[in-house]
Amino acid sequence: MPKENRIFPDMLLILFKKGYVWYWITFCYVLIALMAALCKDCHTVTHRRSRRGTSSPLVACDSKCRSCSEGNGCIECERRYFLHIYSDPLQPHITQGVCRVDCPEKYYEERSSRENNCRPCNDENCVRCSFENYCTQCSPGFLEYEGACVRNCPLGFSASAERGQCVACDVTNCTTCTEENICAGCALGRYLHENSCFQQCPIGLTADRRTSTCKLQVCDEKCKRCSKKNHCLRCRQGYFLHKNNCHTQCPKGLTPVAKTSRCRARGKVCQITSNMSIIRKRNGPPALPYI
């Protein structure tokens, strides 16, 4: 070996004999231990094996990640974050993981003592849900009703565009109402008038069964309530109802009833005196009792 090539090995040999090499080795160990102590909060990393079987370089995890993968991002999050796993739109077969403070739209937060995850909502028309099958906010064009997304509210509920929900009508017996809680339709057998549903229309109004509303009907001056003109249902005080007309005096053969303001047929009166006199004339005087 040439002389100039032996200088470095000879120096190492001299250092080794004098004990300097052990000093360097000790220094390296101390340096490594110090770096490990300073990096106690560093996050763990994983290797990703390539197709050839060799390991890729270590991956630096995000500060929110507890562990991660080079190809799939975060695998496990720190305690206060939620793991959100999603698919790449261009490559649906590849999933990526990311740690978030809260879950994005169409996902709900699932907490556990071991880990927190973002789980997808079951309804595709749901923007936010509190559980898998309970939506709290729907996509535009849909309204939230009892945890589901619907296009039209059921009977008894109105669509609130501001809240994006189906809101119960405050009007009693109302089946259809507007967002301002103005009734637009009543239940069967009820009639709408001035945002209220009546079983019988107020005085001076008549029930229109075709539209289920109370309409103004000009009744006869003697009539208090009518279904249509000249068809009275109840007379004013001092008049008596008979065949949907009001009379000051009941027709012949009828008697007035002040309590109901109606005309009633007279009951048959039994004429006992006249009948007894006819019996006496035919059969003679009644027989005396036997003593």
Side-chain angles (χ1 to χ4, degrees):
M1 179 181 294
K3 185 176 182 180
E4 60 272 10
N5 294 337
R6 292 180 55 85
I7 295 175
F8 185 72
D10 292 342
M11 291 179 64
L12 290 176
L13 183 62
I14 294 171
L15 292 174
F16 179 77
K17 288 180 178 180
K18 292 185 177 183
Y20 293 127
V21 173
W22 296 111
Y23 291 126
W24 283 104
I25 294 175
T26 304
F27 173 77
C28 290
Y29 274 113
V30 172
L31 181 62
I32 293 172
L34 181 62
M35 290 178 65
L38 293 174
C39 196
K40 62 181 180 179
D41 294 329
C42 294
H43 302 279
T44 58
V45 295
T46 59
H47 290 80
R48 179 177 177 268
R49 289 282 180 180
S50 66
R51 293 182 179 179
R52 295 181 180 181
T54 58
S55 298
S56 62
L58 292 178
V59 182
C61 291
D62 184 84
S63 60
K64 302 173 185 176
C65 284
R66 184 174 298 174
S67 60
C68 60
S69 167
E70 180 184 5
N72 302 104
C74 290
I75 300 173
E76 188 179 6
C77 298
E78 290 295 338
R79 199 168 190 83
R80 63 181 181 276
Y81 297 102
F82 294 89
L83 177 62
H84 173 50
I85 298 176
Y86 62 97
S87 299
D88 189 343
L90 300 178
Q91 297 177 313
H93 61 283
I94 299 178
T95 58
Q96 294 290 325
V98 62
C99 296
R100 299 173 56 102
V101 177
D102 53 8
C103 294
E105 292 184 350
K106 296 184 178 295
Y107 288 82
Y108 68 95
E109 298 173 354
E110 182 187 68
R111 300 175 184 269
S112 69
S113 57
R114 189 170 62 88
E115 60 182 2
N116 301 327
N117 294 285
C118 293
R119 301 296 186 190
C121 302
N122 190 42
D123 193 337
E124 60 180 4
N125 299 313
C126 183
V127 176
R128 295 195 179 279
C129 58
S130 55
F131 300 100
E132 181 181 4
N133 296 315
Y134 197 92
C135 189
T136 56
Q137 182 182 349
C138 298
S139 303
F142 291 86
L143 298 163
E144 185 273 320
Y145 170 68
E146 294 185 353
C149 294
V150 297
R151 287 193 178 273
N152 300 305
C153 295
L155 293 177
F157 289 81
S158 63
S160 174
E162 182 180 355
R163 297 167 59 180
Q165 296 177 323
C166 292
V167 183
C169 298
D170 288 339
V171 182
T172 306
N173 295 316
C174 183
T175 56
T176 307
C177 58
T178 63
E179 185 175 348
E180 295 80 12
N181 255 322
I182 298 176
C183 187
C186 296
L188 185 65
R190 305 280 174 167
Y191 301 94
L192 178 63
H193 176 63
E194 294 182 351
N195 204 39
S196 297
C197 295
F198 295 89
Q199 189 172 5
Q200 291 184 346
C201 291
I203 296 173
L205 300 175
T206 180
D208 187 341
R209 294 186 179 181
R210 186 177 61 85
T211 60
S212 295
T213 58
C214 294
K215 289 187 175 181
L216 180 63
Q217 181 66 50
V218 180
C219 299
D220 186 87
E221 60 180 4
K222 303 174 185 178
C223 185
K224 189 175 183 178
R225 179 182 294 172
C226 60
S227 59
K228 59 184 179 180
K229 194 172 182 180
N230 299 326
H231 195 277
C232 192
L233 300 175
R234 186 175 179 184
C235 295
R236 296 185 182 277
Q237 189 175 4
Y239 296 92
F240 302 94
L241 182 65
H242 177 63
K243 292 184 178 180
N244 300 112
N245 289 307
C246 296
H247 304 269
T248 53
Q249 292 183 352
C250 291
K252 189 177 180 179
L254 300 176
T255 181
V257 180
K259 187 176 181 179
T260 59
S261 297
R262 291 175 178 271
C263 294
R264 187 183 66 182
R266 294 176 179 175
K268 293 183 179 181
V269 180
C270 183
Q271 299 178 354
I272 298 176
T273 305
S274 59
N275 290 339
M276 287 299 294
S277 61
I278 294 172
I279 293 172
R280 286 175 181 173
K281 287 180 180 180
R282 289 181 178 179
N283 302 327
L288 295 174
Y290 179 81
I291 298 175

PDB file of all heavy atoms in Angstrom, residues 97 106 131 271 275:
ATOM      1  N   GLY A  97     -56.681   9.715   4.539  1.00  0.00           N
ATOM      2  CA  GLY A  97     -57.099  10.035   5.899  1.00  0.00           C
ATOM      3  C   GLY A  97     -56.560  11.383   6.333  1.00  0.00           C
ATOM      4  O   GLY A  97     -55.418  11.726   6.032  1.00  0.00           O
ATOM      5  N   LYS A 106     -72.121  16.244   5.287  1.00  0.00           N
ATOM      6  CA  LYS A 106     -72.535  14.875   4.965  1.00  0.00           C
ATOM      7  C   LYS A 106     -71.873  13.838   5.863  1.00  0.00           C
ATOM      8  O   LYS A 106     -71.904  12.645   5.579  1.00  0.00           O
ATOM      9  CB  LYS A 106     -72.276  14.548   3.485  1.00  0.00           C
ATOM     10  CG  LYS A 106     -73.087  15.385   2.511  1.00  0.00           C
ATOM     11  CD  LYS A 106     -72.869  14.956   1.082  1.00  0.00           C
ATOM     12  CE  LYS A 106     -73.720  15.767   0.127  1.00  0.00           C
ATOM     13  NZ  LYS A 106     -75.165  15.533   0.317  1.00  0.00           N
ATOM     14  N   PHE A 131     -76.850  11.677  13.735  1.00  0.00           N
ATOM     15  CA  PHE A 131     -76.618  10.239  13.731  1.00  0.00           C
ATOM     16  C   PHE A 131     -76.686   9.761  12.281  1.00  0.00           C
ATOM     17  O   PHE A 131     -76.987  10.548  11.376  1.00  0.00           O
ATOM     18  CB  PHE A 131     -77.644   9.492  14.587  1.00  0.00           C
ATOM     19  CG  PHE A 131     -77.640   9.918  16.031  1.00  0.00           C
ATOM     20  CD1 PHE A 131     -78.582  10.808  16.497  1.00  0.00           C
ATOM     21  CD2 PHE A 131     -76.682   9.438  16.900  1.00  0.00           C
ATOM     22  CE1 PHE A 131     -78.588  11.218  17.816  1.00  0.00           C
ATOM     23  CE2 PHE A 131     -76.671   9.850  18.226  1.00  0.00           C
ATOM     24  CZ  PHE A 131     -77.624  10.733  18.690  1.00  0.00           C
ATOM     25  N   GLN A 271    -160.123  13.732  24.395  1.00  0.00           N
ATOM     26  CA  GLN A 271    -161.360  14.310  24.923  1.00  0.00           C
ATOM     27  C   GLN A 271    -162.102  13.259  25.728  1.00  0.00           C
ATOM     28  O   GLN A 271    -162.991  12.566  25.242  1.00  0.00           O
ATOM     29  CB  GLN A 271    -162.230  14.838  23.773  1.00  0.00           C
ATOM     30  CG  GLN A 271    -161.533  15.929  22.972  1.00  0.00           C
ATOM     31  CD  GLN A 271    -162.383  16.406  21.803  1.00  0.00           C
ATOM     32  OE1 GLN A 271    -163.455  15.845  21.528  1.00  0.00           O
ATOM     33  NE2 GLN A 271    -161.903  17.434  21.116  1.00  0.00           N
ATOM     34  N   ASN A 275    -166.079  11.501  25.180  1.00  0.00           N
ATOM     35  CA  ASN A 275    -166.087  10.060  24.914  1.00  0.00           C
ATOM     36  C   ASN A 275    -166.907   9.314  25.951  1.00  0.00           C
ATOM     37  O   ASN A 275    -167.624   8.368  25.636  1.00  0.00           O
ATOM     38  CB  ASN A 275    -164.660   9.509  24.903  1.00  0.00           C
ATOM     39  CG  ASN A 275    -163.870   9.996  23.682  1.00  0.00           C
ATOM     40  OD1 ASN A 275    -164.495  10.402  22.693  1.00  0.00           O
ATOM     41  ND2 ASN A 275    -162.559   9.965  23.767  1.00  0.00           N
TER      42      ASN A 275
END
